Amino acid sequence: MGLEPSWCLLLCLAVSGAAGTDPPTEPSTAERRWQPTDIVLDCFLVTEDRHRGAFASSGDRERALLVLKGVPVLDDGSLEGITDFQGSTETKDDSPIIFEASVDLVQIPQAEALLHADCSGKAVTCEISQYFLQARQEATFEKAHWFISNMQVSGGGPSVSMVMKTLRDAEAGAARHPTLNLPLSTQGTVKTEVEFQVTSETQTQNHLLGSSVSLQCSFSVAPGLDLTGVEWRLQHKGSGQLIYSWKTGQGQAKRKGATLEPEELLRAGNASLTLPNLTLKDEGNYICQVSTSLYQAQQIMPLNILAPPKVQLNLANKDPLPSLICSIAGYYPLDVVVTWIREERGGVPAQVSGGSFSSLRQSMMGTYSISSTVTADPGPTGATYICQVAHVSLEEPLTVSMRVLPNTEQRGTLGVIFASIIFLSALLLFLRLHRQQASSSRSTRPMRHSG
């Protein structure tokens, strides 16, 4: 149809133009105003039934556009001149299905991330599929259809799931979409309104063993819908467990110390979960599932636990050649890289090959330990050996070093110590003999007779 590339190009040009003014006059947060903005996303519509949780193949989906109408966005000066999305009455064989979604009933907190993704060099993955209601209530008998859209911003951006309900105000004799059999607006769009959304920060979180983490999950519901429950589950290595459950005003923690603030949950739609004192058992994919009286949606957040290694370098033996042992203890996850480097004074550092590893050991906590041994060649003047350890938990590799002396210097040092011992022994023997001679001379002295 050609509308979406030009619309995105116009937005990016406006952003770059605003950023390129000289001098920059970015308004403060207090000066920025909310401006209703249309957000247009390239999507795919899933057209065939799939197993729950499976990805759609290319044959199961077709091109679609999702137009979020009038989303409030804080204007930083880049929205000036941006026009509303305009549909087209012309239809072509390769025209995408256009879903026009009103957001008047809910909040979209990550609107700016969705709007500026293209201009920030990021991509938005968007998939739309038909949504089937869990509860058979009166709403199910209305002449309406439901769809759920899942959007993910690349590069660690947010993830948003929205349930959209088709509107019933179609004009008499309106054209219908050939695939969905739904009435189209005069602009050729399927009109819907968003009644429920769940948002999370889905970038993989890395946290140290023993620290605390807050897993972000928020939601917004249309008036008339009631929050009925929130569940947090952990999936790891094929097994799952319930971490926290909130239903009808009562929360229950299955994991010790897990907390969710009920006041924030009801007042601000904040379903974030806090976990203190992280252990390796806390690692995995966390699922935040929010349920209302009519809808249900979820978000998945990966959590990795890290433990940095402790490194120590020791000299094992000296003869015939010295051996160095680099001990790496208490690290997680498993992968660790150990590099040996040899450096002589005034020389160029060179990597050492031929190092050997001990068997891998695992503690009761689940952390790993291993040691690496290398035979050192001190050379004629001595050399410094460096053990360098790289691990995902470290911003920079850890290094420990030791200077190894040549055997001649080591023997010379031992000779000095041995000579000192002989000298001290001889001195003690001399003093002892001298004392004995003095005692003997006193005992043989003649006695005087007094008359």
Side-chain angles (χ1 to χ4, degrees):
M1 186 168 65
L3 289 177
E4 65 278 10
S6 59
W7 192 91
C8 294
L9 177 61
L10 179 60
L11 175 60
C12 291
L13 288 174
V15 173
S16 61
T21 56
D22 187 24
T25 56
E26 182 177 349
S28 64
T29 304
E31 296 174 342
R32 296 171 65 184
R33 295 182 299 175
W34 293 97
Q35 178 173 327
T37 306
D38 291 352
I39 300 177
V40 183
L41 302 173
D42 288 304
C43 300
F44 286 100
L45 172 67
V46 178
T47 56
E48 296 182 6
D49 292 337
R50 300 177 287 133
H51 292 293
R52 187 182 179 95
F55 290 100
S57 65
S58 58
D60 296 334
R61 57 187 191 173
E62 58 183 271
R63 291 179 59 225
L65 281 183
L66 176 60
V67 183
L68 302 177
K69 294 290 293 181
V71 182
V73 176
L74 276 175
D75 186 8
D76 58 357
S78 64
L79 301 181
E80 184 178 356
I82 298 300
T83 59
D84 294 340
F85 177 83
Q86 300 294 329
S88 174
T89 56
E90 298 181 3
T91 58
K92 300 179 181 179
D93 293 338
D94 60 348
S95 297
I97 304 171
I98 304 176
F99 288 87
E100 184 179 341
S102 167
V103 296
D104 295 339
L105 302 180
V106 298
Q107 298 177 354
I108 309 294
Q110 300 296 339
E112 288 189 68
L114 295 173
L115 177 65
H116 298 304
D118 288 339
C119 303
S120 302
K122 298 181 179 181
V124 179
T125 302
C126 175
E127 186 175 275
I128 303 173
S129 57
Q130 193 169 358
Y131 183 87
F132 298 96
L133 299 179
Q134 298 288 332
R136 308 296 296 180
Q137 299 183 9
E138 289 184 4
T140 62
F141 297 101
E142 298 179 3
K143 292 181 179 180
H145 292 78
W146 290 265
F147 294 87
I148 185 168
S149 59
N150 297 295
M151 295 156 284
Q152 169 69 59
V153 180
S154 65
S159 176
V160 184
S161 295
M162 301 188 308
V163 178
M164 305 179 296
K165 175 184 174 182
T166 59
L167 300 178
R168 296 175 296 162
D169 57 352
E171 298 179 2
R176 305 184 75 86
H177 191 275
T179 302
L180 302 177
N181 194 28
L182 293 176
L184 300 176
S185 67
T186 55
Q187 289 78 30
T189 64
V190 177
K191 283 197 170 184
T192 66
E193 59 183 357
V194 180
E195 292 196 334
F196 180 49
Q197 67 86 9
V198 180
T199 303
S200 72
E201 302 293 336
T202 58
Q203 66 268 28
T204 299
Q205 298 199 46
N206 299 319
H207 286 266
L208 294 178
L209 183 68
S211 65
S212 300
V213 64
S214 179
L215 301 173
Q216 302 297 317
C217 182
S218 63
F219 64 93
S220 179
V221 297
L225 293 177
D226 297 323
L227 177 67
T228 59
V230 174
E231 280 190 353
W232 278 93
R233 292 185 174 274
L234 171 61
Q235 293 283 343
H236 188 52
K237 295 182 178 179
S239 63
Q241 58 177 311
L242 180 64
I243 300 298
Y244 193 95
S245 175
W246 183 94
K247 291 183 179 180
T248 60
Q250 294 185 349
Q252 185 178 15
K254 296 294 184 180
R255 189 268 198 197
K256 183 179 180 181
T259 57
L260 186 151
E261 297 297 334
E263 293 183 0
E264 286 292 304
L265 182 71
L266 298 173
R267 182 183 63 83
N270 186 358
S272 301
L273 179 72
T274 300
L275 299 174
N277 302 320
L278 293 174
T279 68
L280 298 185
K281 294 181 180 179
D282 293 317
E283 186 174 62
N285 292 324
Y286 283 81
I287 302 173
C288 171
Q289 181 175 282
V290 182
S291 301
T292 71
S293 52
L294 196 59
Y295 306 125
Q296 186 180 88
Q298 66 183 29
Q299 291 293 336
I300 301 177
M301 286 146 276
L303 173 64
N304 293 331
I305 306 299
L306 306 178
K310 300 176 180 64
V311 183
Q312 187 176 11
L313 185 59
N314 296 299
L315 181 63
N317 60 280
K318 299 180 180 179
D319 291 322
L321 287 176
S323 295
L324 299 176
I325 300 179
C326 185
S327 302
I328 306 103
Y331 63 91
Y332 186 89
L334 179 61
D335 293 336
V336 66
V337 178
V338 181
T339 305
W340 286 96
I341 301 173
R342 181 182 181 275
E343 182 178 4
E344 293 185 3
R345 289 179 179 175
V348 178
Q351 187 170 330
V352 179
S353 59
S356 60
F357 286 91
S358 69
S359 59
L360 186 67
R361 303 175 297 276
Q362 189 171 20
S363 69
M364 297 293 293
M365 294 178 59
T367 57
Y368 297 100
S369 297
I370 200 171
S371 59
S372 176
T373 303
V374 69
T375 300
D377 178 13
T381 61
T384 298
Y385 276 78
I386 301 170
C387 176
Q388 185 180 83
V389 178
H391 189 255
V392 67
S393 63
L394 303 172
E395 293 184 2
E396 297 181 353
L398 291 177
T399 58
V400 289
S401 63
M402 178 178 290
R403 180 161 181 80
V404 181
L405 300 176
N407 289 341
T408 55
E409 292 188 21
Q410 292 173 359
R411 292 196 183 106
T413 302
L414 292 175
V416 172
I417 296 175
F418 184 68
S420 300
I421 293 175
I422 293 177
F423 173 77
L424 290 175
S425 299
L427 180 61
L428 292 174
L429 180 61
F430 172 78
L431 293 175
R432 182 178 179 182
L433 291 175
H434 181 72
R435 188 177 300 168
Q436 289 178 351
Q437 290 176 357
S439 176
S440 174
S441 64
R442 286 196 299 270
S443 62
T444 56
R445 186 177 301 172
M447 298 182 64
R448 293 183 181 180
H449 177 71
S450 60

